[in-house]
Amino acid sequence: MKSYNNSISYRSEIDGLRALAIVPVILFHAGFKIFKGGFLGVDIFFIISGYLITTILITEVQQGKFSLINFYERRARRILPALFFLILICFIFSIFFLLPNDMQSFSKSIIFVNTFSSNFLFWQESGYFDVESELKPLLHTWSLAVEEQFYILFPIFLILFWRFGVKVVISIIITSFFLSLFLAHWGSYHKSVASFYLLPTRGWELLLGAFCSFILNFIKIPDHKIYNLISFIGFLAILISIVVFDESTPTPSFYTLLPTVGAVLIILFANKGTLVGSILGHKFLVGIGLISYSTYLWHQPLFSFFKLVIPQNEFIFINHQFIMIGLSFASLILGWFSWKFVEKPFRIRSSHTSVSSKSFLFFCLFLLLFSTSIAYYIFYTGGLPQRLNKDITNIINFENDRNPFKDTCQIENGVLNHPLTECSNYLINNKANVVFIGDSHSNAISYQTQEELYTKGISSYSVSYNACIGLPGFYTVTKPSSHNCNQYNVDILKFAKKVNASTLVITSRFPLYYFGTRFQNSKGGNEFGDPLFIDTLNSPNGLETYISEQLRRERVVNKMRSGILSLLNEFNVVLVYPIPEMGWNIPMEMAKCKLMKLRKCDLNYPIEEYLKRSQPISSLFDSIKSKNLFR
């Protein structure tokens, strides 16, 4: 097949396209709702990467100059110095400002980043759009891992199959593209987290970019006025996807064809003679495109460390948008600095300011081994807790210190046979006058209560079950089948009857199960975690629409009422009204205040928020209490 090479050596429009990709990504992570589809900028980056890498490979293979070692060295020069610089600065910062748990998580991510596999780590830990992901400084490196894995495999593929001709290579690329695309679409509905993070479901985007390179290299594309319209359609497709798509849009999937095909149309048709080519070729956008890689590296750590280090109190909540705008500009400034003084000196081997191949290889291997070793040590020691003074350590350990049975008597999954030996300290003659039943909120209040009861000669027993309302007949539908909430309640009530317990103390996080959503306190405290819906049915019925959700809540309240009334026929029942949810992890926020040496640490919110959240449950308990049914 004849090569035409339609002027693809360097095009400023590509740098402009990079700018069109990076800015929405930054503003999406900054939380600006108008850019709710800004995460699709990463998909555009994949298109660009596939195009540029394939262009380099085709050119060198055709000229007989291709070397796999040289290719990997150039990729390493492009990616690693700026990445190492970022990790170094973040590591130094984390030593002084991160709490042990956060430091341990950060060091773990460094290990996976250094082995080009961070996408596997974040796939296992959480979804990209989970609120908790905002606290991962290196979350964005998942896309680098995908590209690095592609860089390893794709050149080997070309070497093996180029001898069979360009048509064979293109046929394999097209086939792989469709297989990956269909797998991605299926995965986005059935294995959404894996589909988002992994190469097999992202490969089609890189291959789509590669296909652009083959078109421009081997197909004669004459200039035509219609290119103005075609490139504008591509430009518009990207803009529409950025402002219309959101976290609920299956990604990657057929929907993702809108921004990616838009990028393809720009690559193929937005030359300097078109309107879009002129826009993307403007020196301002080209400048942002040039620093886009370093800027991409810096934006996530800035946002993440801000949320990890600074107590998220009312002042932060009120001024959040202004702060995020400032951090967005800071990512551009740091991106420029990294590009100017780290990226450029290492990138070009022929430059007199660059590092030789052998020195560069030794430099990379040393940093990889050294940083991985240090990260492993920090992870193994639990985040270097010895860095912190005693006051901070005491605050962090407060929650565990107050209840020595917090872990042993808090069950996560499975079916129980009571009594559990390790939770029988407050039984007297293997009998329990009082039995505690419920979730982690029951666990939180039971220890001190049992201590007090024991001093008065009253025996008790407490085993809680995580994410489980303390009443029979309910299922936590957002948990796996191994989470058998109803069986827990059946088992512990069976035990209570067996030991002739006179009193049940029922404590659960009722508002969470009723609403299903995590608590937001209107003062900056937004709780992390998945939704937790309960239902009387052992299936996720009622979670799809507003009407069915209302029906689910009605079922829940009615079942709670009947369940409580049924228990009143057999036990004295103590109902603990909803314990206030906070939205913050109080010990962690207090530890942050101590670490940052803040004199004032406001961790409160209007009581009206608590009353509103608790109203459905409080009203139910009030109605039962008013009937004087309690013994």
Side-chain angles (χ1 to χ4, degrees), residues 175-329:
T175 302
S176 301
F177 164 81
F178 281 110
L179 288 174
S180 176
L181 175 60
F182 280 100
L183 179 63
H185 188 78
W186 177 88
S188 291
Y189 286 94
H190 298 90
K191 301 287 182 181
S192 59
V193 179
S195 182
F196 188 93
Y197 282 118
L198 302 183
L199 177 61
T201 47
R202 287 291 184 174
W204 68 269
E205 295 176 313
L206 290 151
L207 292 176
L208 191 57
F211 194 61
C212 290
S213 180
F214 276 94
I215 290 174
L216 291 175
N217 264 282
F218 296 105
I219 298 177
K220 180 66 173 179
I221 303 180
D223 290 334
H224 198 285
K225 293 181 180 180
I226 199 173
Y227 292 177
N228 218 345
L229 175 61
I230 296 175
S231 59
F232 183 76
I233 291 173
F235 186 75
L236 194 62
I238 292 175
L239 295 182
I240 289 174
S241 63
I242 288 170
V243 300
V244 173
F245 289 0
D246 58 23
E247 299 171 9
S248 65
T249 305
T251 304
S253 68
F254 294 158
Y255 291 96
T256 322
L257 286 169
L258 183 62
T260 53
V261 171
V264 166
L265 295 180
I266 288 175
I267 291 173
L268 294 180
F269 300 106
N271 55 45
K272 293 183 183 297
T274 64
L275 174 62
V276 173
S278 299
I279 294 173
L280 296 180
H282 191 278
K283 61 181 180 181
F284 176 74
L285 289 180
V286 170
I288 294 178
L290 287 172
I291 65 172
S292 60
Y293 171 61
S294 282
T295 300
Y296 180 77
L297 286 180
W298 278 103
H299 84 283
Q300 175 69 14
L302 285 174
F303 295 153
S304 180
F305 278 126
F306 163 69
K307 295 171 184 176
L308 282 170
V309 173
I310 306 299
Q312 300 296 297
N313 55 29
E314 182 176 5
F315 173 81
I316 297 298
F317 180 68
I318 293 173
N319 296 280
H320 186 266
Q321 284 198 331
F322 294 103
I323 294 171
M324 299 310 280
I325 290 173
L327 292 175
S328 298
F329 277 109

Side-chain angles (χ1 to χ4, degrees), residues 121 287 462 484 569 574:
L121 170 67
S462 175
N484 200 332
N569 294 324
V574 177

Side-chain angles (χ1 to χ4, degrees), residues 492-544:
I492 201 164
L493 287 173
K494 181 180 178 180
F495 168 77
K497 294 174 184 177
K498 178 181 177 182
V499 298
N500 296 317
S502 61
T503 302
L504 287 180
V505 180
I506 302 175
T507 315
S508 293
R509 193 173 171 183
F510 299 106
L512 172 61
Y513 304 132
Y514 176 81
F515 290 106
T517 55
R518 298 286 174 170
F519 183 56
Q520 299 184 5
N521 65 23
S522 79
K523 294 295 182 180
N526 300 323
E527 184 191 2
F528 300 136
D530 296 327
L532 278 178
F533 293 92
I534 63 169
D535 205 339
T536 59
L537 309 173
N538 194 14
S539 63
N541 290 341
L543 305 184
E544 298 294 330

Side-chain angles (χ1 to χ4, degrees), residues 49-275:
S49 294
Y51 162 69
L52 292 177
I53 291 304
T54 306
T55 298
I56 293 171
L57 292 172
I58 290 175
T59 301
E60 293 188 349
V61 168
Q62 286 183 321
Q63 295 175 353
K65 298 179 179 179
F66 178 73
S67 165
L68 198 59
I69 299 299
N70 290 340
F71 173 81
Y72 289 150
E73 182 193 346
R74 287 199 302 272
R75 289 299 89 204
R77 286 178 178 271
R78 173 75 172 98
I79 294 172
L80 295 183
L83 181 61
F84 285 146
F85 176 65
L86 170 84
I87 291 175
L88 173 64
I89 300 301
C90 289
F91 174 74
I92 294 172
F93 181 86
S94 65
I95 287 289
F96 292 99
F97 296 110
L98 284 192
L99 298 175
N101 283 348
D102 298 326
M103 185 71 176
Q104 185 180 40
S105 177
F106 176 65
S107 63
K108 182 180 180 181
S109 64
I110 290 177
I111 297 170
F112 279 82
V113 169
N114 284 351
T115 53
F116 314 131
S117 58
S118 62
N119 57 331
F120 289 96
L121 170 67
F122 299 126
W123 161 40
Q124 294 296 326
E125 287 188 341
S126 62
Y128 182 78
F129 301 108
D130 293 349
V131 179
E132 189 176 357
S133 293
E134 297 176 6
L135 303 183
K136 300 179 184 297
L138 298 179
L139 174 70
H140 60 323
T141 61
W142 74 268
S143 64
L144 299 184
V146 169
E147 289 192 6
E148 288 158 352
Q149 292 155 19
F150 178 78
Y151 296 157
I152 292 172
L153 298 175
F154 192 67
I156 297 174
F157 157 74
L158 280 185
I159 291 173
L160 293 175
F161 288 94
W162 192 265
R163 71 189 72 178
F164 300 109
V166 175
K167 290 183 179 180
V168 172
V169 172
I170 293 177
S171 297
I172 295 174
I173 289 176
I174 292 174
T175 302
S176 301
F177 164 81
F178 281 110
L179 288 174
S180 176
L181 175 60
F182 280 100
L183 179 63
H185 188 78
W186 177 88
S188 291
Y189 286 94
H190 298 90
K191 301 287 182 181
S192 59
V193 179
S195 182
F196 188 93
Y197 282 118
L198 302 183
L199 177 61
T201 47
R202 287 291 184 174
W204 68 269
E205 295 176 313
L206 290 151
L207 292 176
L208 191 57
F211 194 61
C212 290
S213 180
F214 276 94
I215 290 174
L216 291 175
N217 264 282
F218 296 105
I219 298 177
K220 180 66 173 179
I221 303 180
D223 290 334
H224 198 285
K225 293 181 180 180
I226 199 173
Y227 292 177
N228 218 345
L229 175 61
I230 296 175
S231 59
F232 183 76
I233 291 173
F235 186 75
L236 194 62
I238 292 175
L239 295 182
I240 289 174
S241 63
I242 288 170
V243 300
V244 173
F245 289 0
D246 58 23
E247 299 171 9
S248 65
T249 305
T251 304
S253 68
F254 294 158
Y255 291 96
T256 322
L257 286 169
L258 183 62
T260 53
V261 171
V264 166
L265 295 180
I266 288 175
I267 291 173
L268 294 180
F269 300 106
N271 55 45
K272 293 183 183 297
T274 64
L275 174 62

Side-chain angles (χ1 to χ4, degrees), residues 191 411-415 465-468 474-488 518 530-534 537-540 543:
K191 301 287 182 181
I411 307 303
E412 296 291 330
N413 288 301
V415 179
Y465 200 89
N466 182 54
C468 176
F474 288 100
Y475 301 88
T476 310
V477 296
T478 46
K479 287 287 185 178
S481 58
S482 59
H483 184 273
N484 200 332
C485 177
N486 184 58
Q487 190 63 48
Y488 156 76
R518 298 286 174 170
D530 296 327
L532 278 178
F533 293 92
I534 63 169
L537 309 173
N538 194 14
S539 63
L543 305 184

